[in-house]
Amino acid sequence: MCGIVGIYLKTKKFENKLGKMLSGMLNNMESRGPDSAGFAIYKNSDKSEYKYSLCINNLDFKKFKKDISKKIKKLKLNQYSDHVIIKTTETPKKFINFMTKEFPEVSIVGYGHSIEIFKQVGNPKEVVKKFNLESFSGTHGIGHTRMATESAITTDGSHPYSTGEDECLVHNGSLSNHNNLRRELRKKGNTFTSENDTEVAAGYVSNSLSNNNSLKNTLVSGLKDLDGFYTFIAGTRKGFAVVRDEIACKPAVIAETKNYVAIASEFQAMAHLPDVNNAKIFEPEPGIVYSWGN
Amino acid sequence: MKLDLKKLKLRKVNEQLQNIDRKINDRSFTIINPEGNHAVCAGLTEELNINIKGHVGYYCAGMNQKANITVDGNVGTGVAENMMSGKVHVKGNASQSAGATAHGGLLIIDGDASSRCGISMKGVDIVVKGSVGHMSGFMSQSGNLVVCGDAGEALGDSLYETNIYIKGKVKSLGADCVEKKMDKKHIKKLRLLLKEADINNQKAESFKRYGSARKLYNFKIDNISNY
């Protein structure tokens, strides 16, 4: 099963309430995915520095802070339970290499100028509370509640998957050609940290975007290249896009008002959103890419 | 009587509606704040008038018998699935598999219905004022599916004896589904259904009828590519 949710703010009105809106959506999708949950929040970006979202697992935060501060001079750390957001001017290639070498027990769950990602195993309501999602502000956000099917219940197996700068992907469904595609993408230089099918789809999107294809065109090509059942929400710095496979077994419903666009697996995820009963509510049609902000 | 799903548990509301005493005269209910809940008004067996104010989730009015249920909003997957009798009227749009496997009664959808509308229907009458998505009428066995708008891909794939009436365009027909002649009895039935759905601006004669070519009923080696 799995539940996916997303919210894109068309105006500034709800920017301070983005976390609250998204947490309500995730809480309401608990029934579709009780195994793990995660979310990506996009905030106005500061181009002068990068943000790295890390899961430090069982490391002691104080010790980690002390150790990393010795090696990288200019950096700011913010702790959210077992996740840490690091702000630094270090570039991704250099920083990721450094982390893999110096702190192999730390997982890098995402990076970019705008994105912050949090994901963990456990009941969505607990995960949302643990990371204090309600307190977040931002321009758009994407979330996922997971009912694990084809790979283990771990942090690495949780969504959203981020395989490129300020990119992320959540998925309801399953892919049948992910092993082949993973091999092909590895040959092209992509790296994968899990056996999960969605990570392959995220890698596919990143690969295409890095070849200067638009998000919309990438997802249109994906309809041919990704075999299986899916509703995807793909996020970038500017916005997000939604696509369902041609068979469209996996549900999705969109609510659009003058202030926001919300998407969820089921309407009940957005029943609490402001003015939703007057929103334009529709189902994304099979095989059509819907995009906002990009 | 007003039932507020913000204050009352869905299971309690359904239990109450499923166990209405036959001797009670007050048989009208309004359900408010459904907030996308699933299985609202599922399994009702009595003659009741129910008005649901807002959007509901999956399987609304499933297995309905005799009750007259109106949804003032959109419905999720499988509205009126396996309905036996009664009437379900959706004023908004319906998600996939509307009226799936339903044996009887009338399902009216004012907006659009998405994919697989009337899948495996077994006698229900479904009237959609908008359009229907792909694979509508898939393996449908009996009853009538009326669509005032367009139909998506593979309409009526592998259908048996359901009559499908479409006013607009059909993207493609499914296996063994063909256009058929509109006889007087079909026009008469369609007029009746349009009237029941309160549709006054459509002429029965302007619809096209689709049904089974009956070539897939029994195994034939010549049809192997269609199975």
Side-chain angles (χ1 to χ4, degrees), chain B residues 40-54:
Chain B
V40 177
C41 292
L44 305 191
T45 55
E46 288 296 324
E47 284 175 9
L48 304 170
N49 280 312
I50 297 172
N51 202 345
I52 303 169
K53 295 276 183 197

Side-chain angles (χ1 to χ4, degrees), chain A residues 32 244 246-251 265-268 271 276-277 281-283 286, chain B residues 35-38 54-56 58 74 77 93-96 114-116 134 153:
Chain A
R32 291 187 70 91
R244 298 170 80 195
E246 304 261 11
I247 306 288
C249 284
K250 297 297 175 189
S265 300
E266 297 173 16
F267 175 76
Q268 61 170 324
V276 76
N277 285 322
I281 294 171
F282 62 101
E283 270 188 18
Chain B
E35 299 197 328
N37 264 299
H38 299 322
H55 309 304
V56 291
Y58 295 179
N74 298 329
T77 298
N93 297 326
S95 182
Q96 61 180 329
S114 66
S115 58
R116 295 171 275 270
H134 67 272
E153 282 174 289

